[in-house]
Amino acid sequence: MPFVTTKEMFKKAYEGHYAVGAFNVNNMEIVQGIVDAAKEEESPLILQVSAGARKYAKHSYLLHLVEAAMEDTGLPIALHLDHGADFDICKACVDGGFTSVMIDGSKYPFEENIKLTKRVVDYAHNKGVVVEAELGKLAGVEDAVKVNTKDATYTDPDQAVEFVERTGVDSLAIAIGTSHGAYKFKGKPELDFARLEKITNMLPGFPLVLHGASTVIPEFVAECNKYGGKLAGAQGCPEDMLKKAGTYGVCKINIDTDLRLAMTASIRKYLYEHPEDFDPRSYLGKGREAIKMMVAHKMRDVLNSSHRL
């Protein structure tokens, strides 16, 4: 079975008022934990690779890990490039077997973002690959993405319509208050649902994307800290807000930090309780199981994507 694109996934998600989870992958155990959850929940699935993941694990290793996961589970999987910084990395992933790429031109002025995105769209569409872009800037830090809070800007609805029309992009990541990393909010978490509703109404049927949407699950933070971690003040997007976003035009919700926390918390605990064990399969296996349980929960209780295949 070949990789699929997100076209049909997003059409079903939009009509069904749910979101598809896009989970970042970096190694075998993370891939296995995610796809095992998706198979158990019968959920559509996007596995995405950041520039940092490509540097860490190499393109070919990640490609073949995801191919193996698809062969093992029989699941239809979209393989997506997360936060492509320029045309060249998008081209490499289009040519290298990905079925979806994101070009992130949000750091550029509006016209420059349009020009860059249109170039990627033209190339990718010619190869049957879909394209996600971003308009507006999310605050926070994750891999190579670093934006100060003062530089963050929410997506302008009128610009969003013009951007989609002029680029021909297939989906659009918008900024409504989420942010990258484990420290998303200093005070009360708030998302601009009025802005989201307006963009949804102005782009009917068009799939929107939320980046920086990990919940930073408190139990994982507490467990990390209990066994030697230092994550004071970590706070993410409440799950009820993410669930609500999926009832608008949001068809894709990105999750990365929660994967890292689930794996790290379980490994810290295992090594603390078993100081004599030096077998990586023992603690990485615990990390894989923690990821499976967390992802299944997200699909079932937050994304509402269970039993949608």
Side-chain angles (χ1 to χ4, degrees):
M1 178 189 291
F3 294 130
V4 300
T5 71
T6 55
K7 278 275 192 185
E8 190 62 25
M9 277 188 191
F10 289 167
K11 183 175 183 295
K12 289 181 178 178
Y14 196 99
E15 292 171 354
H17 302 291
Y18 65 91
V20 179
F23 300 93
N24 285 67
V25 296
N26 297 281
N27 65 13
M28 183 185 76
E29 287 77 15
I30 293 174
V31 171
Q32 290 175 327
I34 296 167
V35 298
D36 286 350
K39 184 174 183 179
E40 193 173 275
E41 293 298 321
E42 300 176 7
S43 172
L45 176 65
I46 300 165
L47 294 181
Q48 55 186 28
V49 174
S50 67
R54 288 178 85 242
K55 183 177 180 180
Y56 172 77
K58 296 185 180 179
H59 180 110
S60 59
Y61 281 87
L62 290 167
L63 180 70
H64 292 302
L65 278 172
V66 179
E67 285 177 340
M70 193 163 54
E71 181 182 331
D72 179 50
T73 62
L75 289 170
I77 296 174
L79 182 59
H80 175 73
L81 169 66
D82 188 26
H83 285 287
D86 52 40
F87 175 81
D88 290 337
I89 189 172
C90 290
K91 180 179 183 297
C93 288
V94 169
D95 295 342
F98 283 48
T99 53
S100 176
V101 295
M102 179 202 181
I103 177 63
D104 184 0
S106 63
K107 60 183 175 289
Y108 298 116
F110 184 64
E111 290 296 331
E112 223 175 309
N113 191 356
I114 286 178
K115 184 178 179 182
L116 174 60
T117 300
K118 183 70 164 64
R119 185 184 178 199
V120 173
V121 167
D122 289 344
Y123 186 83
H125 282 184
N126 191 47
K127 305 278 188 175
V129 174
V130 297
V131 180
E132 173 188 325
E134 184 168 338
L135 188 63
K137 294 180 185 177
L138 271 69
V141 178
E142 192 166 72
D143 277 4
V145 181
K146 295 176 181 155
V147 178
N148 292 326
T149 302
K150 65 181 178 63
D151 295 324
T153 53
Y154 283 11
T155 304
D156 178 272
D158 293 315
Q159 282 193 337
V161 174
E162 182 181 351
F163 188 90
V164 169
E165 289 175 348
R166 290 176 60 187
T167 61
V169 74
D170 300 286
S171 61
L172 184 67
I174 58 171
I176 60 168
T178 58
S179 65
H180 292 113
Y183 302 88
K184 301 182 188 300
F185 302 97
K186 289 184 178 178
K188 181 182 177 184
E190 287 186 14
L191 298 183
D192 191 342
F193 283 104
R195 185 179 301 269
L196 172 57
E197 184 175 18
K198 186 172 183 180
I199 295 171
T200 297
N201 291 338
M202 292 175 72
L203 288 169
F206 186 82
L208 303 174
V209 178
L210 276 191
H211 283 232
S214 282
T215 304
V216 188
I217 297 172
E219 291 83 355
F220 294 144
V221 174
E223 194 153 281
C224 279
N225 290 339
K226 181 179 178 180
Y227 296 105
K230 293 182 180 178
L231 292 168
Q235 185 180 191
C237 295
E239 292 185 341
D240 60 335
M241 290 186 181
L242 299 176
K243 194 168 185 177
K244 182 178 178 181
T247 65
Y248 289 90
V250 173
C251 298
K252 174 175 178 273
I253 291 180
N254 287 13
I255 298 171
D256 185 12
T257 299
D258 282 340
L259 296 167
R260 301 182 187 197
L261 290 171
M263 174 165 262
T264 301
S266 64
I267 290 174
R268 279 189 175 278
K269 180 182 179 183
Y270 183 84
L271 291 175
Y272 180 87
E273 293 178 345
H274 302 84
E276 77 288 347
D277 194 344
F278 57 90
D279 186 345
R281 293 170 296 185
S282 299
Y283 53 82
L284 290 175
K286 290 292 183 182
R288 177 174 59 194
E289 183 61 26
I291 283 177
K292 178 186 173 183
M293 291 176 65
M294 187 276 293
V295 170
H297 158 67
K298 292 285 186 182
M299 291 171 169
R300 186 173 56 247
D301 304 320
V302 182
L303 303 167
N304 197 25
S305 65
S306 292
H307 309 296
R308 301 285 189 172
L309 289 178

